[in-house]
Amino acid sequence: MSSSVLYDAPGPKARVRNRIYTVVGALAVLALIVFAVARLAAKGQFAPEMWDIFNYAGVRTSIRNGVLTTLQVFAVAAVLSLLLGVLLAVGRLSDHKPVRWLATGFIELFRAVPLLITIYVLWVLFLTYKSELGFTGEGTQFWALVIGLTVYNGSVQAEVLRAGINSVPRGQREAAYAIGMSKTQVMTSVLIPQAVRAMLPTIISQLVVTLKDTSLGYVITYQELLFAIQQLAGNTVVNDENPYVPMIIVGGAIYVAMCLLLSALANWIERRGRRAKTGIAVAEAGQAVTAGDAMGPIDGATTPGPVDKTD
C-alpha cells in the first residue's frame, strides 16, 4: 500500500466504500435534476409556446442590444485593466518605497473588497456628484461598472504580470544592464514582453472573468445582457407563466459562446507566440543539427571553399 504526503492510499474496503458513495451521490444529483425538470415541465416552461417568443423582432433586438452593451463594457474594462495592471506591476517592483507601498496597498485593497460592493459604491458616488461630473443616467451606470471592473481586474492582472516578470531569469536583466540599457528600457524591452508571453494563458483567463463579471451591472440596473434577459422574462407572459427558463437557457448559452470565443482567440494568439522567430534551425525527427547549422552564416562572412591538402 502506497502513501501520499497528504493522505494514505485507500485500501480495498475503502475503495469499495468510495465507489458506493460516488454512485449514491451521482444518483441523488440525477434524481434532483429530474425532479427540477419535471416541476418546470409541469409549469409549462418547456412548452413550444415559450420558445416562440424568440421569433419576435422586439425580443431579438433587446437581446442583441444587451450583447452589444456587454461587449462594449468588456472592451473598455479589458483595455483599462491591462494598462492598470502593467502600471501597478511596475510600481510594485519599483526601487522607491513610497511607490512600492502605494501600489501594494492599492492591489491588496481592491483584491480584498468584493467587486459588487466596489461597483455599487462607485454608482452611488457618481449618482451623488453626477451634475458636477457631467454624467447622464446611463453614464453613471456605465462608468461605475467599467471602473469597478478595471480596479479589481487590474489588481489581479498586476499580480499575474509581477509573477511573470519575476520568472524571467535574472541573467537577462543583468545582461541588459551590462550593455548600458536603462531600467525603463530593461522593463519595457526585456522583462514585460517575456512576462506577457509566459503568463498569457492566465491573463486571458482573467479577461474571461472580466467578461462574466459584466453581469454585475444588473445590480445597478445597467442595460447589459443579464438585465435585458431579466426584463424580457419579467415582462413577457406566455400561458399565464413568465418564460424564465427559456430566457436563462438562451442567456447562458450566449455567455458561454462569448467566453469560448475569447478562449479560442487566446489559444490562437498563444500558438502564434510559440512559433520560433529566432532563425534557429529546428531538426526533424531523427535528424541531427550541427552547431554550424543552428547558428547559420555570420553576416558579412563568406562560406570557405574546400581546403587543398596536396601541398
Side-chain angles (χ1 to χ4, degrees):
M1 181 184 298
S2 61
S3 61
S4 173
V5 177
L6 300 179
Y7 64 92
D8 292 332
K13 292 183 179 180
R15 287 197 294 269
V16 172
R17 188 169 55 249
N18 291 340
R19 291 192 186 100
I20 294 174
Y21 291 160
T22 301
V23 172
V24 172
L27 291 176
V29 173
L30 181 60
L32 183 61
I33 294 174
V34 171
F35 174 76
V37 171
R39 290 296 303 271
L40 292 172
K43 292 280 188 179
Q45 290 293 327
F46 297 107
E49 295 82 4
M50 290 289 185
W51 300 91
D52 286 340
I53 60 176
F54 297 105
N55 293 324
Y56 294 103
V59 174
R60 294 197 301 268
T61 301
S62 297
I63 295 176
R64 182 198 63 194
N65 293 338
V67 171
L68 293 177
T69 304
T70 295
L71 293 177
Q72 180 184 7
V73 172
F74 165 71
V76 178
V79 173
L80 293 180
S81 64
L82 290 175
L83 294 176
L84 180 63
V86 172
L87 292 177
L88 291 175
V90 173
R92 189 156 189 181
L93 295 171
S94 175
D95 294 332
H96 304 285
K97 287 185 178 180
V99 177
R100 187 167 64 249
W101 290 345
L102 182 62
T104 302
F106 187 95
I107 291 172
E108 296 300 329
L109 173 64
F110 286 105
R111 286 179 63 198
V113 176
L115 177 56
L116 182 60
I117 295 178
T118 302
I119 293 173
Y120 188 79
V121 169
L122 288 171
W123 180 52
V124 172
L125 289 176
F126 289 165
L127 282 178
T128 304
Y129 299 102
K130 69 177 182 178
S131 58
E132 289 83 355
L133 296 173
F135 283 157
T136 61
E138 283 289 327
T140 58
Q141 297 160 339
F142 175 81
W143 286 111
L145 182 57
V146 166
I147 295 176
L149 293 171
T150 298
V151 295
Y152 172 75
N153 291 283
S155 300
V156 177
Q157 298 283 22
E159 290 297 276
V160 172
L161 289 172
R162 183 172 70 92
I165 291 173
N166 289 332
S167 69
V168 177
R170 188 174 182 83
Q172 297 193 23
R173 187 179 314 184
E174 295 173 350
Y177 286 130
I179 63 175
M181 297 180 70
S182 64
K183 184 177 180 180
T184 302
Q185 291 174 326
V186 172
M187 184 65 70
T188 57
S189 302
V190 177
L191 299 180
I192 291 181
Q194 296 188 70
V196 170
R197 183 176 179 179
M199 306 304 293
L200 185 60
T202 308
I203 292 173
I204 298 299
S205 297
Q206 190 60 37
L207 289 178
V208 173
V209 173
T210 305
L211 175 59
K212 293 188 293 185
D213 284 344
T214 57
S215 60
L216 295 177
Y218 164 80
V219 178
I220 58 176
T221 67
Y222 186 63
Q223 303 289 334
E224 42 77 45
L225 178 58
L226 180 60
F227 187 82
I229 291 294
Q230 192 275 337
Q231 290 293 307
L232 287 172
N235 297 329
T236 305
V237 178
V238 179
N239 296 334
D240 297 330
E241 293 288 342
N242 297 103
Y244 283 109
V245 172
M247 287 294 178
I248 291 174
I249 292 175
V250 171
I254 293 174
Y255 275 113
V256 170
M258 290 190 296
C259 292
L260 289 177
L261 288 175
L262 183 58
S263 299
L265 175 62
N267 293 332
W268 179 76
I269 294 174
E270 186 179 3
R271 285 196 302 269
R272 286 184 61 86
R274 288 178 178 176
R275 293 181 181 176
K277 299 179 180 179
T278 59
I280 298 176
V282 179
E284 298 292 339
Q287 176 186 356
V289 179
T290 64
D293 293 335
M295 294 177 60
I298 302 175
D299 293 341
T302 59
T303 304
V307 179
D308 188 3
K309 297 183 179 181
T310 57
D311 294 337

